[in-house]
Amino acid sequence: MNWTAPDEMPSTDVASFVQYLQSARRIVALLGAGLSASSGLPTFRGAGGLWRTYDATRLATPGAFKADPGLSWQFYSYRRHMSLNAKPNRAHLALAELARRNSNFLTLSQNVDGLSPRAGHPPEQLKLLHGSLFDVKCWDEHGCGYIRRNDFSDPIVPALALPTVDEGLSADSQLKEAIRKKNHALIRGADISDINVNIPSLRRDDLPHCPQCKENLLRPGVVWFGETLPADVLSDVSRWFQQPENIDLILVIGTSSRVYPAAGYTEMAREKGARVAVINMDPGDAREMTKHDWFFEGDAATIVPEILE
Ligand code: BV8
């Protein structure tokens, strides 16, 4: 990890950043879960974060889906539900505005919550590195190639409904009760494995099925650990980085920069001449990042509109 040597502490001076931003032409932003924290969505590693309450490698992998598609779908259905009920915050809106103002600005988002698209970010300048909760696609190594946008059904199938507590238990009370307990654990942020109820996985027939090939399940259109990022996204991003012109600035917003290859784009931008501005709630996380020129500590939803407008 390249530390910023003490005598080269990053600047916290907004005026110098704003002055530089005015002259910057090619700008890239790398976004993480911290950008959506103020919209009420939990981050991954932070207090109460999704990773703290479950082991991401247990849930955000193909193996987890194969092992228990019902558990995986409940995890993603719960996050779809939360994201659909969240709103883009002022940082999402400011980044969309910057993209409209500057066609040489590219946003690389690790977030799957759909908030940047809903903020009106020009789609051709927004690359969703890890896919989206609101795409569904045919599941299996080969699959039939079916992929569709689905940001309208919550839940995507009745079995994934978050049952209300006072709901009467119907004939399949065992299943409903189990789902209720598991979902309340999810909502409480408890670790699912802590529940000492032997929760039967959802019946395969109750899970979303591919309408095209009819036999495979549908899966969430996110990139799991161990999966490569979407080929079209990777080639668009590398084409942008390979343009001969230097990059003037990278904004690293609300990310712990621990997941690769996404986190590697900061160093790549620096190697193309970019100056680095980090916006993060945690100076500790910022210190572990590659050498940076500005560090603005605090909530992205407050800082980003201030420094971009
Ligand atoms: C791959 C979708 C090829 C699913 C996610 C080197 C090169 C290549 C690969 C690897 C490598 N080293 C290791 C790997 C493997 C792996 C990896 O990176 N592992 C990590 C754990 C070390 N990478 C992969 O598997 C990738 N695939 O490389 O393919 C390949 C294939 C096989 C083998 C090797 C290579 C695919 C990774 C994609 C995983 N999918 N999401 C889902 O969401 O369920 S990752 C997911 O977690 C997010 O998308 C995001 O990327 C990551 C979480 O990071 P953050 O967004 O940064 O969130 P976090 O909570 O960590 O931090 C929040 C930050 O915000 C904190 O700093 C906090 O202080 C700050 N903050 C909080 N509140 C605020 C705030 N800041 C401002 N304001 C606030 N209010």
Side-chain angles (χ1 to χ4, degrees), residues 31-38 42-46 49-51 56-57 59-60 75-76 79 109-112 129-131 133 222-229 253-262 279-283 285-286 289 296 298-301 303:
L31 312 181
L35 176 76
S36 300
S38 273
T43 62
F44 287 81
R45 292 175 43 262
L50 290 167
W51 287 10
T57 49
L59 284 169
F75 177 57
Y76 284 100
R79 288 171 61 195
S109 182
Q110 300 173 91
N111 297 337
V112 296
L129 301 177
H130 296 157
L133 290 169
V222 297
V223 179
W224 280 324
F225 287 99
E227 291 187 318
T228 50
L229 277 55
I253 304 173
T255 179
S256 61
S257 293
R258 279 171 170 70
V259 174
Y260 284 81
I279 296 96
N280 200 303
M281 190 68 107
D282 178 348
D285 271 2
M289 287 175 201
F296 299 113
D299 177 10
I303 293 173

Side-chain angles (χ1 to χ4, degrees), residues 25-26 238-247 272-273:
R25 186 171 168 282
R26 295 193 74 220
S238 61
R239 203 170 28 252
W240 193 88
F241 271 80
Q242 280 160 15
Q243 285 176 26
E245 265 184 280
N246 269 358
I247 297 172
K272 287 280 288 186

